[in-house]
């Protein structure tokens, strides 16, 4: 399928999931994950009116940023090493992988020097998989208490990754767990503003994530794919 056809299909599936769960499509945002495609292909993505793009590693994003940094809204969605903060700060409007105090402090320090604020999602390992980054659910409250005084880091949401399942329905407890955690955290007023956003749902399971309250979907293969998928570009 062409990119336009993929966008149309994804939008239809999101709309259907919203209908099933009584949500408005306006609440759901799509991030086109471009980590597996070149700067030239990323141009096609942005030309197709996909505003939000996501990258996992600065090493892979650097060339794309040098060519396209003035276009779109950039999301850093991978594990962020503290020594790479200097590279991504001021370029990526959203950081989806805040998972430790040292990273929060470095983000705050670099953001303060540039006179800006970082919009961050706290990454939570709801599934408990050893292979995944993120805080345990139990560690989120003390973490938020630790970073509450960082003036240049705004926690706007939570992020999680579900295990890859052949049956997407099996991911539902993970997404539901993140939503319920967010609601509990808001009841404790641990952040300057209520936590609104849930970054959850990828190509294999995004419809279930929408039904459970996702506000940001991170879609790669189902939407953008890999470079070899762009033979039509």
């Amino acid at each position: 399928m062409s990119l336009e056809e993929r966008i149309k299909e994804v939008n239809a599936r999101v709309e259907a999931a919203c209908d099933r769960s009584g949500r408005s499509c306006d609440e759901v945002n799509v991030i086109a994950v471009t980590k597996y495609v070149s700067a030239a292909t990323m141009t096609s993505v942005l030309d197709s009116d996909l505003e939000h793009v996501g990258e996992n590693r600065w090493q892979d994003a650097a060339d794309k940023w040098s060519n396209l940094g003035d276009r779109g809204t950039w999301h850093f969605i991978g594990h962020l090493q503290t020594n790479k903060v200097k590279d991504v700060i001021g370029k990526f409007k959203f950081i989806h992988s805040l998972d430790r105090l040292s990273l929060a402090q470095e983000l705050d320090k670099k953001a303060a020097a540039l006179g800006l604020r970082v919009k961050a999602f706290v990454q939570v390992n709801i599934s408990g998989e050893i292979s995944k980054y993120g805080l345990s659910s139990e560690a989120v409250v003390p973490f938020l208490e630790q970073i509450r005084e960082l003036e240049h880091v705004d926690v706007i949401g939570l992020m999680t990754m579900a295990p890859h399942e052949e049956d997407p329905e099996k991911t539902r407890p993970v997404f539901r767990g993140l939503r319920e955690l967010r609601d509990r955290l808001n009841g404790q007023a641990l952040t300057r503003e209520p936590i609104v956003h849930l970054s959850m749902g990828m190509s294999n399971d995004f419809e279930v994530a929408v039904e459970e309250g996702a506000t940001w979907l991170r879609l790669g293969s189902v939407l953008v794919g890999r470079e070899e998928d762009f033979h039509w570009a």
Side-chain angles (χ1 to χ4, degrees):
M1 291 191 293
S2 69
L3 180 58
E4 289 72 19
E5 289 170 330
R6 291 181 185 211
I7 293 170
K8 184 177 180 179
E9 180 176 301
V10 165
N11 287 341
R13 291 169 66 182
V14 168
E15 183 176 353
C18 286
D19 287 343
R20 289 193 297 271
S21 52
R23 300 184 63 197
S24 167
C25 291
D26 293 340
E27 300 172 6
V28 183
N29 305 280
V30 172
I31 302 166
V33 177
T34 51
K35 63 178 179 177
Y36 291 123
V37 300
S38 66
T41 296
M42 193 174 183
T43 300
S44 298
V45 171
L46 291 166
D47 286 346
S48 296
D49 294 327
L50 287 169
E51 166 68 18
H52 298 276
V53 292
E55 289 284 327
N56 282 53
R57 288 160 39 96
W58 171 246
Q59 296 94 313
D60 299 328
D63 178 61
K64 300 171 196 176
W65 175 263
S66 67
N67 287 281
L68 298 164
D70 60 340
R71 299 187 59 188
T73 300
W74 292 57
H75 297 245
F76 196 89
I77 60 176
H79 180 68
L80 180 57
Q81 297 175 313
T82 304
N83 64 1
K84 295 297 182 183
V85 169
K86 65 182 185 301
D87 297 314
V88 306
I89 196 78
K91 301 179 179 72
F92 291 80
K93 185 174 181 178
F94 298 92
I95 305 295
H96 288 244
S97 49
L98 178 57
D99 63 355
R100 60 198 186 280
L101 179 60
S102 60
L103 177 59
Q105 291 172 329
E106 187 67 11
L107 286 168
D108 185 66
K109 176 183 174 182
K110 292 293 193 291
L114 293 173
L116 52 82
R117 305 178 77 91
V118 176
K119 296 182 184 297
F121 294 76
V122 173
Q123 184 170 355
V124 188
N125 187 354
I126 294 288
S127 68
E129 289 180 279
I130 297 174
S131 61
K132 285 185 168 55
Y133 292 105
L135 298 164
S136 67
S137 297
E138 297 74 22
V140 176
V141 168
F143 178 68
L144 291 176
E145 290 174 339
Q146 282 182 307
I147 68 172
R148 183 159 35 191
E149 302 307 316
L150 298 181
E151 296 181 0
H152 296 271
V153 176
D154 294 325
V155 174
I156 65 165
L158 304 178
M159 184 273 255
T160 200
M161 297 175 64
H164 183 87
E165 299 281 2
E166 290 299 320
D167 178 7
E169 184 61 32
K170 292 182 179 179
T171 64
R172 190 176 297 277
V174 173
F175 299 139
R176 181 173 295 162
L178 193 71
R179 172 171 51 82
E180 292 174 344
L181 175 62
R182 178 199 61 186
D183 295 344
R184 291 197 301 274
L185 295 172
N186 282 336
Q188 298 177 61
L190 295 166
T191 51
R192 285 185 290 268
E193 299 291 336
I195 299 171
V196 174
H197 293 288
L198 297 174
S199 173
M200 60 188 194
M202 299 193 295
S203 292
N204 190 58
D205 51 31
F206 70 91
E207 289 153 300
V208 177
V210 170
E211 291 171 1
E212 291 298 332
T215 64
W216 289 95
L217 306 173
R218 309 183 305 273
L219 303 183
S221 60
V222 74
L223 185 62
V224 179
R226 295 174 178 265
E227 189 67 24
E228 55 267 28
D229 297 324
F230 275 73
H231 57 84
W232 42 263

